[in-house]
Structures are given as C-alpha cells and as structure tokens.
Amino acid sequence: MPIRVENNGQTFHLKNDYMSYVMTVEKEKYLTHRYWGRAIASFNGSRQLQMIDRGFATNPFADDRQFSLNSLPLETSTCQNGDHRIPNYVIRNGNQHIVTDFVFTDYEIYNGKPDIDGLPSLEARDVEVTTLAIRLVDQTQGLVMILHYHLFEKLPVVTRRVTFENLSDKTVHIENAGSLQVDIASVDYDFLTLDGSHTDEATINRTRLRSGIQKIESRRGTSSPQHQPFIALLETSTTEFSGEVRAFHLVYSGNFQAQVEVEQYGSTRVQLGINAEEFSWQLTGGSRFETPEAVMVFASDGLNDMSQTFHQLYQNHLCPEPFRKQERPVVLNTWEANYFDITEAKCEALATKAAEIGIELFVLDDGWFGHRQDDTTSLGDWFDNREKLPNGIKGISEMVHRKGMKFGLWFEPEMISKNSQLYQKHPDWALQVKQYEPTEGRRQLVLDLGNIAVQDYLIEMLTTHLRTGSLDCVKWDMNRHLTDIGSLNFPSQQQGEVAHRYVTGLYHILNTITHNFPTVLFENCSSGGGRFDPGMMRYMAQNWTSDNTDALCRAKIQTGFSLLYPPIMMAAHVSDIPNHQVGRITSLETRADIAMGGNFGYELDLTQCDELTLALITAQIKTYKAQRDLFQFGKFYRLMPLGPFFETAWLFANETDVIVIYFNGLARPAVPVKYLPLRYLDQTATYRLVGTNDVYTASELNFSGITIPRIKGDFKTLRVHFKKC
C-alpha cells in the first residue's frame, strides 16, 4: 500500500519508489510533519521531535512547558493559540475573533483523486494516485478542515489542497485559505523563484534563505508575468545535475502568495495558496470552500531531475487529454505581419505563401471583429468586420482550408472596450466599484466574470463561432490586469470574493467550451507569458510564451519556463528583424534554432520575404517536421545554466535521436575551450553524428563531451544531431 498508517493511526507514511512523506499526530491532536525526501523503508521515529522550554513560548497543555506550537513542525497552522508563524488559514467569526482549535479526528484512504468543484486539477486514473484525506475539527464553532494528500505512485509528487466546511448555523468569513503548508526541519537552503515582467518573463532568481519571511505574490488578479506561482528550496550545493530540490507550484490563475519563513529555532515553513490580501469568503452554515491544488515535487538529482518530473506530470496529467500525444502544427500568426491592418486580400496572399512553404496552421490575430482599427475599440463586439472581411471569418477559414491548412482565430473574451456596442448595452458588466470611475488599461475594462450573465454571454458567443466548424484553433488573450475589483452583482459582505469568483468564472467558461469542443486547439496568452500557469494549462494545450520574440531574450525566457513546462507547451515563433520588441538583428538560423526549443512557428510577413529567405524557411520547416516527435515529445534537459553572457545549451532526446542546440549569446574575447558533456544519453548505446560516419559511445559523449567550436560574433547557434546506432 503506497500510504501506510502505523502507530495506531498516529503515523502516516506516503511512499513510492522515489520519495517518502511522513506525518505523525502529536498529543492525539496536532498533525506534524516529520520527513520529506528520498524513499525510506519505514519510519520509526529516529528523528525525534525535540521539545525544549523556550522563552516566550506558550503551552496548549499547561503542565507541559516543553510542548509549544510555535516550534512544532506542523502540516497546517493554528490561529491565535500559540503558533506565531505565518498562517495557512484565518477564519473570522461573527464576534470578529479568529481563534480556532482544529483537532485531528479521523482519516480516509482511497484510490484515485476526485475533481475539485469549480477548479482545475491534475487528472489521474485510480491506479496512478492514492489519496489520504485527514479530517480536523473545531468542535467549538462546528468547523471542519480536510487536508487532502494525493500521492502519484510513479512520480516523486504529492499534490495537496484543503476543504473548509461549516457545519454550524452561523456564518463565518475565511480571510486566508492556503492550499499547502509544511514545516521543514532545516534552514540551509537556497530560495528559487521565476520572476520578471511583460516581455521579460521567467527570470531565474536564486538567493540564500535568510531569517524571516521571504515572499512572492500577485495582487493583479492573475498569476502575472511578475512572479510564477512557484517556489523551490534547494540544497546550497544543488546544480542542474545534482542535489536535492523541494518544489511547490500552485494550480491557480489568480492572486496568489508563496512564502517561506525561516524560524528562530532552525526550521523553514513553506506556505502556498490564494493571496490573503483583499480576499474574504463568506462561509454560511452548511457550505464548503475548496482551495486550489498545490503541487509538491521532490528531486534528488538537481534541477533537471525536478524539471523532468514537472514535464511528465503536466504533459500526462494536466494537458487536455486529446492533445497529450497529438503533434502540434507548424503555425503562422498574422500579428507581426499585419498588426491591425487586415484585409481579405492580405490574408489570402499571406496564406498562399504559408501553404507553399509548409505551414500547417494559419492564425488570424487581432483586428478582425467589430470596428477594430486599433486597441481603443470594439472588445466585446465579437462579430465579423465586414469592411475588412466582406466574406467574414467563414470566408477566410474556407480559403485557408482549401490551401490545406488549419485555421485559428484570436479572441480576448474577458475584456470590454468603452467604445463598443456591448458596453453601451451592459456597462454594469465591467468590474467596478460604486461611485468610482473604473480605471482603464490599454483603453479597455475587464468584464465581471463572477457574474453568471457574463459567463453565459461569453459561452454563447464562443459557441456560436465554434459551432460553424470554421475554427481549428483559438488563441485566447488577456492583455491587462484587474483594477476596481468590485462587482455590482454581489452585496457588500461578498465583495472580498470578487477576485476569486472572477477566476472560477473563467474556469467555468473554459471548462464548458473545451468540453463541448474537445478537438479545438486552444492557445493561452496574456500579452505572452502573463498568465502562464497550471490552472490555464488544464484547458489549453499550449501557451504563447512571450510577446518578446527576440532570439537572445527567448533563450533566457524559454530556459526559465523549462524548469516547469515541457517545450510542447511553449509556443515559439521566428519573427522579423530588426526585432519588433528590442530592435536586435539575429540570423534566420539562430531565430529558428531557438524557436525549435518550443512549439514551432513563424510571425512575419512572408509576402515581403525574398526567394532565398523563403527557401531557407522552407528548409527549416522540413527539418523541424522530420524531428517533430523529438522536439515535442522527447525529454528536454538544460546542459548548462544560463550564464551572464546568455550562453546556454539544450538537449532533446528520445529513443532514436539526440539534438543539442548551443547558443553562444554575446561574443567575448579570450573564450576558454569549451567541452560540453551531454550527460543524459542512454549509457548502453552508441551514437552516430548525423552527416558523418563518426560513432561514439554514450559514456564518451556523456562524460567527455563534445567540443564547442570557436564562435565569433553575437547570437550564433550550433545544432548537433546524433542518431542512436
């Protein structure tokens, strides 16, 4: 049994071949964390809890001054009764008190993991996951807290979430609803986060843990490009290739907080969940509240080991099922080719060139609807702009299909322009606070997705477009963050729920649409990577990784996101030069090699390319298609950390082929001779360098490595292909 219960129901040992996670019940009341790491045969308490009479300690048992909650390694916090560290929950009752006393009562173990009502979660068959549900009760207030632990049997993964239930007839308000807390008995860690901004997402930041609280968060209404809802604790000696990692990721697309507290007596508390700032949930008698799912990954062999677990987990258990094993098409997106300047003639000319060079999916981006000429108007008016497209979207779709390509269309459903028919009809549908003029961003407002009428409108609108059969792909964009987070649809005592209801409303729309149209490929976008999180990826098989298409920037961005997401989830396009975001000039070869490190496509005006350029692009597409299975479904490894000169190297490997992409970044003088060990090849095999008769053993390539030739000039790539003999 992967979950063992021992010591008369007081010890819980979650175990598979890769890791163990152990909890015990102390004083028949408090659920404590005892161990999380490499798999151990059994747990008999060799690491004893150390109880010491400390200054300023409070004692829940008056006759035991050594027992204090403030130093006990807990699986969930207490509130105002002895645990002074960051809390995982806060519940305020009608008397305005937040004291609670949750006591362990019982548990349940069962195969499988149920869906979470109204929230996305990882999916698995009963044989793949075993669940432990631990029930804690506050008898005084009639409140129940259920801690759910889902153990994946073939991966070093536990996912966690919490259910709050109110069994009384009194209303309480949840003011903090964390998904996960764990107290780890060490402070000797580095703290890893992915931070950034629009067009500069997923910067890897690694700092030494220090005393006190270290925190990342979003209060923007989305997971945001500023911080991925992810943190990791690394042994200080951990590299890409060795050392232990404990990683945490939230399956949620709204405001979040991820924090650690280095405690005075040598432990580290990790807490992850919905951001407690500006959050409140009215829990009436007989109701329940579910938190988002949080993912915990243990890795014993460095960051690449951690990434392999996340990649397998998300590709096999998060990605929409129809696309888990389905090849993704090579795409041409019209945005940087045409921006808003769309006509039928331009679309047909671009589609003709696209079909000739081997493009498989033609995506018409912004500018096709309402009276849209720029970004100041028409969001919400999702009808064809017949001045630009006399035969409508159906005509464009039929033209693209005749040329042998699939057709995709851009939407930004969550937004509304003041200059739109929809706003004139329903100004109350925008997020807003009474007596205040709502704040515009990008000349647009945000729809109140917590409003059921808004949800129904968007579902009907999208269904109308999708039911025609004209669309094979939808690019779903979201280009501003939330302000004026209030709703005219809810009473004052529920205004603290609006931000979370926005997210659950979005999930309801996505769940309905993707369920009804399961073969349509949805691409997530929020000005690029602004809402690239596991919650969105439950409904959308890929993400537009960043609006920044510059090869050097993308090498950094894609490296960062690769810590968590497999390349098949990261859309990457070859764009024009000088690059439209930073003005940099890089070779077509470099732009293609970096884009092949993601879900491959193009975003430039093919009608303006000369014959030589078109011939090179045709060859690139042919090369990618020949190795598509390797790039999209092979294993991906980072062979070196991203250096100060943006030098990096990626390895793609499957059962038959290995491709290394090396990027030199910025040129510099007196570069040392570089040998690049490949590390992850099949040790029992030999490999032939494609294009030669040279054959090498895997051990030579893994440990001795290949020589990186002297490269002069900035932004050069080297692609090396080996085939298993």
Side-chain angles (χ1 to χ4, degrees):
M1 189 70 179
I3 298 180
R4 303 177 188 174
V5 182
E6 300 166 345
N7 189 25
N8 295 320
Q10 304 295 291
T11 299
F12 302 94
H13 185 176
L14 288 67
K15 179 181 182 297
N16 58 26
D17 291 341
Y18 310 98
M19 74 171 193
S20 287
Y21 192 99
V22 181
M23 298 169 284
T24 61
V25 180
E26 297 301 315
K27 302 286 191 181
E28 299 184 341
K29 184 174 182 178
Y30 301 106
L31 187 65
T32 63
H33 178 79
R34 302 301 300 276
Y35 176 78
W36 178 32
R38 297 171 190 259
I40 56 178
S42 62
F43 183 84
N44 295 310
S46 63
R47 180 193 288 190
Q48 297 179 2
L49 292 174
Q50 190 175 46
M51 305 295 184
I52 300 173
D53 184 358
R54 305 276 196 184
F56 291 101
T58 51
N59 313 110
F61 302 96
D63 58 351
D64 187 353
R65 289 187 52 171
Q66 292 185 331
F67 189 90
S68 174
L69 297 180
N70 204 42
S71 58
L72 197 65
L74 295 167
E75 283 286 308
T76 187
S77 58
T78 68
C79 202
Q80 280 205 353
N81 59 0
D83 181 7
H84 295 283
R85 294 164 289 180
I86 52 176
N88 198 46
Y89 72 90
V90 174
I91 301 174
R92 189 176 299 276
N93 63 25
N95 296 322
Q96 298 303 304
H97 296 146
I98 61 173
V99 175
T100 53
D101 189 22
F102 283 97
V103 177
F104 169 81
T105 56
D106 54 25
Y107 66 90
E108 180 184 6
I109 296 174
Y110 56 90
N111 292 327
K113 64 187 298 286
D115 293 336
I116 309 174
D117 186 27
L119 292 169
S121 61
L122 298 168
E123 183 181 73
R125 301 190 306 271
D126 287 357
V127 296
E128 296 173 315
V129 174
T130 305
T131 293
L132 168 66
I134 295 178
R135 182 181 172 93
L136 309 173
V137 177
D138 182 323
Q139 296 287 0
T140 301
Q141 298 192 65
L143 302 175
V144 175
M145 182 193 306
I146 303 173
L147 307 181
H148 303 269
Y149 298 80
H150 307 290
L151 174 66
F152 284 72
E153 298 188 18
K154 297 187 182 301
L155 291 168
V157 172
V158 173
T159 68
R160 291 181 57 179
R161 61 186 179 89
V162 180
T163 302
F164 295 96
E165 296 180 350
N166 184 357
L167 303 183
S168 76
D169 58 0
K170 296 180 174 61
T171 295
V172 298
H173 282 83
I174 303 173
E175 296 182 351
N176 184 5
S179 298
L180 169 155
Q181 178 198 295
V182 59
D183 290 340
I184 300 173
S186 175
V187 298
D188 193 20
Y189 293 114
D190 286 350
F191 184 54
L192 185 73
T193 58
L194 290 177
D195 312 316
S197 65
H198 173 232
T199 68
D200 190 27
E201 300 90 345
T203 300
I204 299 172
N205 280 328
R206 180 173 177 172
T207 58
R208 193 80 170 85
L209 272 189
R210 55 172 176 76
S211 179
I213 298 170
Q214 289 108 100
K215 179 180 183 180
I216 59 167
E217 64 178 351
S218 173
R219 286 188 277 175
R220 294 170 171 265
T222 76
S223 51
S224 86
Q226 281 71 32
H227 301 290
Q228 180 73 195
F230 157 82
I231 57 176
L233 300 182
L234 284 58
E235 291 182 329
T236 55
S237 60
T238 293
T239 67
E240 291 278 17
F241 317 110
S242 65
E244 291 187 352
V245 182
R246 290 164 178 83
F248 309 85
H249 205 191
L250 190 64
V251 186
Y252 189 62
S253 308
N255 294 335
F256 76 91
Q257 60 187 19
Q259 54 189 332
V260 298
E261 181 176 4
V262 175
E263 180 263 346
Q264 58 192 327
Y265 299 123
S267 70
T268 301
R269 170 166 290 183
V270 179
Q271 191 273 332
L272 178 63
I274 297 171
N275 200 323
E277 296 288 337
E278 303 162 13
F279 168 81
S280 176
W281 192 268
Q282 181 177 263
L283 196 67
T284 56
S287 66
R288 63 165 48 192
F289 180 84
E290 303 281 4
T291 73
E293 185 169 37
V295 179
M296 302 174 65
V297 168
F298 172 75
S300 56
D301 292 312
L303 288 168
N304 269 314
D305 186 21
M306 177 200 76
S307 295
Q308 281 299 304
T309 297
F310 274 117
H311 292 183
Q312 293 177 53
L313 183 71
Y314 289 167
Q315 184 63 20
N316 297 325
H317 300 284
L318 183 70
C319 177
E321 196 279 331
F323 298 97
R324 290 175 188 172
K325 303 299 180 185
Q326 186 178 115
E327 286 186 345
R328 308 295 164 75
V330 178
V331 65
L332 177 74
N333 184 284
T334 66
W335 179 241
E336 288 196 19
N338 300 110
Y339 291 103
F340 296 103
D341 186 16
I342 291 170
T343 65
E344 277 191 2
K346 288 184 177 181
C347 286
E348 182 158 14
L350 194 57
T352 299
K353 289 292 185 183
E356 290 174 355
I357 64 174
I359 294 293
E360 298 163 316
L361 170 62
F362 183 94
V363 176
L364 179 58
D365 211 284
D366 196 353
W368 61 268
F369 57 92
H371 302 288
R372 186 82 156 173
Q373 302 295 337
D374 52 36
D375 61 8
T376 67
T377 180
S378 298
L379 289 172
D381 297 344
W382 299 106
F383 51 84
D384 299 352
N385 186 325
R386 292 286 178 164
E387 292 182 7
K388 292 183 175 184
L389 308 174
N391 293 298
I393 290 300
K394 190 172 187 295
I396 298 294
S397 174
E398 289 175 349
M399 177 271 294
V400 169
H401 286 151
R402 283 196 302 270
K403 296 181 183 298
M405 297 180 293
K406 294 182 177 181
F407 178 67
L409 191 60
W410 179 95
F411 291 87
E412 193 175 4
E414 300 163 65
M415 301 296 154
I416 184 170
S417 302
K418 277 192 169 183
N419 185 5
S420 69
Q421 294 178 20
L422 184 66
Y423 187 79
Q424 298 308 309
K425 186 176 181 180
H426 295 291
D428 57 309
W429 279 10
L431 287 175
Q432 56 193 286
V433 175
K434 288 181 180 179
Q435 299 180 332
Y436 286 89
E437 184 70 18
T439 305
E440 293 187 44
R442 202 171 174 261
R443 297 300 303 274
Q444 60 197 54
L445 302 176
V446 184
L447 286 170
D448 177 9
L449 297 195
N451 185 336
I452 293 175
V454 175
Q455 297 172 25
D456 291 344
Y457 163 76
L458 291 177
I459 290 170
E460 181 182 4
M461 179 274 293
L462 290 162
T463 298
T464 299
H465 281 283
L466 289 164
R467 192 180 286 140
T468 66
S470 300
L471 306 184
D472 306 294
C473 172
V474 168
K475 181 178 178 181
W476 184 298
D477 210 344
M478 196 265 198
N479 286 312
R480 63 152 290 183
H481 290 145
L482 277 56
T483 57
D484 312 281
I485 304 178
S487 172
L488 303 183
N489 197 50
F490 290 98
S492 59
Q493 63 268 29
Q494 289 186 270
Q495 290 299 305
E497 302 175 9
V498 172
H500 181 61
R501 286 187 181 274
Y502 180 94
V503 179
T504 58
L506 171 64
Y507 290 152
H508 170 66
I509 296 165
L510 292 175
N511 185 63
T512 302
I513 293 296
T514 57
H515 175 78
N516 292 340
F517 300 95
T519 61
V520 174
L521 174 63
F522 280 78
E523 179 173 289
N524 181 44
C525 179
S526 179
S527 292
R531 194 170 57 184
F532 192 173
D533 60 64
M536 296 302 292
M537 303 315 292
R538 182 66 188 91
Y539 307 103
M540 303 191 181
Q542 60 194 53
N543 191 95
W544 176 230
T545 313
S546 177
D547 279 351
N548 189 344
T549 54
D550 170 65
L552 183 143
C553 294
R554 270 304 189 100
K556 189 273 291 183
I557 293 168
Q558 290 170 213
T559 293
F561 277 128
S562 77
L563 263 66
L564 303 172
Y565 303 102
I568 193 173
M569 287 187 173
M570 294 189 284
H573 296 170
V574 178
S575 62
D576 205 354
I577 52 171
N579 176 264
H580 291 197
Q581 289 76 47
V582 298
R584 197 177 345 263
I585 296 175
T586 54
S587 71
L588 184 62
E589 178 185 22
T590 292
R591 283 174 276 155
D593 282 342
I594 297 300
M596 287 183 191
N599 203 328
F600 189 58
Y602 290 81
E603 192 161 332
L604 44 75
D605 189 351
L606 298 174
T607 66
Q608 300 300 308
C609 295
D610 58 34
E611 291 303 315
L612 175 60
T613 300
L614 289 174
L616 291 172
I617 292 174
T618 303
Q620 290 172 351
I621 293 173
K622 184 177 180 180
T623 296
Y624 182 78
K625 288 179 178 178
Q627 296 301 328
R628 178 169 14 208
D629 183 73
L630 170 62
F631 284 120
Q632 294 189 357
F633 299 105
K635 293 184 176 180
F636 172 87
Y637 300 93
R638 297 171 299 277
L639 293 182
M640 60 173 63
L642 191 70
F645 297 96
F646 292 88
E647 181 186 26
T648 192
W650 300 332
L651 174 73
F652 300 82
N654 63 14
E655 293 300 316
T656 59
D657 291 87
V658 171
I659 287 180
V660 178
I661 295 177
Y662 170 82
F663 178 58
N664 76 318
L666 298 172
R668 58 240 190 238
V671 178
V673 176
K674 180 171 289 297
Y675 303 104
L676 183 67
L678 303 191
R679 296 180 182 272
Y680 294 103
L681 276 55
D682 178 2
Q683 278 290 102
T684 65
T686 56
Y687 292 84
R688 178 177 59 84
L689 179 62
V690 172
T692 75
N693 294 319
D694 299 337
V695 175
Y696 308 93
T697 64
S699 58
E700 181 182 2
L701 294 172
N702 283 340
F703 305 131
S704 179
I706 62 175
T707 302
I708 300 299
R710 173 74 185 278
I711 299 175
K712 290 186 177 181
D714 297 331
F715 327 127
K716 301 295 182 66
T717 52
L718 173 70
R719 181 164 15 103
V720 183
H721 184 186
F722 293 95
K723 187 169 283 290
K724 186 183 287 187
C725 297

